[in-house]
Amino acid sequence: MAPMIEVKNVTRRFGGFVAVNDCSLSVEKGSITGLIGPNGAGKSTLFNMVAGNLEPSSGAIFLDGREITGLKPHQLFGRGLLRTFQIAHEFSRLTVLENLMMVPAGQPGENLFDAWFRGRKVREFERGVRERAEEVVDFLQIGHVQNELAGNLSGGQKKLVELGRTMMVDAKVVLLDEIAAGVNRTLLNDLASNIERLNRERGYTFFVIEHDMDLIGRLCDPVVVMAAGSVMMKGSLAEIQADERVVEAYFGGSPTGHATSLPGATA
């Protein structure tokens, strides 16, 4: 079975600077795979290439066995690859429910002819979209804010809405970019629980960039470590925490020459 995401010998240059260097990795179907590494390791650049925001200088990227190198985000959306952002991208003047209803593509109400002459078709489609949005609200347990303007929500609530937007289409894989940033621990626990449920109950594959090692430890197996633009290793978080090369990459080694724990790791 082909991996859900496969990156083969991908390099990205910015002038003379090589941000990602001959990088290869895979994200297996049905996994929650983490991507960690020190600042400047190339994680965000790699994520941007997988998401279609940047084109590789060389190499190839595959989604579910089909090459997607150079495809744009809207094209990847149509193939089931979605991304959430470190800073939520909500429609601030629409309600939570309306934000969810905006997601499905090809809505007949967007077509002037349908809007004028096929009102029944438009109403039936909108009814189905609303029902699905209400199901998402129930799943995420955010009914208390469904009629609130999205711009009035907290950072964590906005990220729950972003996660909900991925549920409005048939997502194959979701790229999660620093979901812990700016989120309090209570809402972060809610986010993590919903990610686990989507993975377990609906078969979502997740690819996660995150600096919060507690969250990585809870959600991700395996974990990929990047350093200097390339993959250093892949394994469980326990294996990674015990690897002196990883500690060297994060800390430059410890004064005693022995491995120390990664940020957020427990003894």
Side-chain angles (χ1 to χ4, degrees):
M1 185 180 294
M4 184 58 75
I5 296 173
E6 190 169 15
V7 175
K8 290 186 176 182
N9 305 111
V10 164
T11 294
R12 173 66 196 198
R13 299 181 181 87
F14 295 95
F17 174 68
V18 180
V20 174
N21 184 21
D22 195 29
C23 183
S24 297
L25 60 82
S26 62
V27 175
E28 302 307 318
K29 291 181 180 179
S31 73
I32 305 178
T33 298
L35 181 63
I36 68 171
N39 291 333
K43 306 183 300 296
S44 294
T45 301
L46 178 65
F47 234 51
N48 282 328
M49 288 188 286
V50 173
N53 300 110
L54 285 174
E55 191 167 345
S57 302
S58 61
I61 302 170
F62 297 83
L63 174 66
D64 203 13
R66 299 174 62 190
E67 186 169 4
I68 59 170
T69 313
L71 293 187
K72 301 302 181 185
H74 69 276
Q75 296 171 303
L76 296 174
F77 177 91
R79 298 193 182 196
L81 187 150
L82 291 83
R83 178 182 186 174
T84 70
F85 291 87
Q86 181 175 355
I87 300 173
H89 288 55
E90 79 284 353
F91 297 101
S92 61
R93 297 188 178 183
L94 298 181
T95 68
V96 167
L97 203 63
E98 289 167 342
N99 265 265
L100 297 176
M101 293 177 65
M102 288 286 291
V103 175
Q107 300 196 36
E110 298 171 355
N111 181 291
L112 189 60
F113 181 86
D114 285 339
W116 281 358
F117 301 109
R118 296 175 178 170
R120 182 176 178 181
K121 174 183 177 182
V122 172
R123 288 191 297 273
E124 288 178 351
F125 189 92
E126 288 183 350
R127 186 180 304 115
V129 170
R130 185 180 183 89
E131 288 174 357
R132 183 158 188 167
E134 290 171 344
E135 290 173 1
V136 170
V137 164
D138 288 342
F139 184 94
L140 296 176
Q141 298 179 334
I142 55 174
H144 58 293
V145 294
Q146 71 174 17
N147 295 317
E148 182 67 61
L149 294 181
N152 295 338
L153 303 182
S154 70
Q157 290 171 328
K158 289 178 180 179
K159 290 188 178 182
L160 276 170
V161 173
E162 277 219 339
L163 187 61
R165 284 160 66 174
T166 72
M167 298 173 62
M168 291 297 296
V169 293
D170 294 322
K172 290 183 178 180
V173 58
V174 179
L175 309 182
L176 299 176
D177 190 351
E178 297 284 3
I179 59 167
V183 179
N184 68 53
R185 302 311 296 186
T186 299
L187 279 174
L188 185 58
N189 183 63
D190 291 344
L191 269 168
S193 295
N194 282 305
I195 290 165
E196 289 168 333
R197 288 181 63 201
L198 285 169
N199 174 253
R200 180 178 63 250
E201 298 175 16
R202 304 199 178 189
Y204 275 36
T205 300
F206 289 97
F207 191 26
V208 184
I209 283 184
E210 187 53 65
H211 282 98
D212 187 318
M213 290 296 163
D214 291 332
L215 187 62
I216 286 286
R218 172 175 173 173
L219 292 178
C220 300
D221 188 13
V223 179
V224 177
V225 184
M226 283 188 71
S230 300
V231 171
M232 175 179 288
M233 71 172 295
K234 179 179 181 178
S236 69
L237 185 60
E239 292 169 336
I240 285 166
Q241 289 172 345
D243 193 291
E244 294 189 7
R245 296 172 303 160
V246 178
V247 175
E248 177 73 25
Y250 269 94
F251 298 111
S254 64
T256 62
H258 299 295
T260 58
S261 61
L262 293 181
T266 55

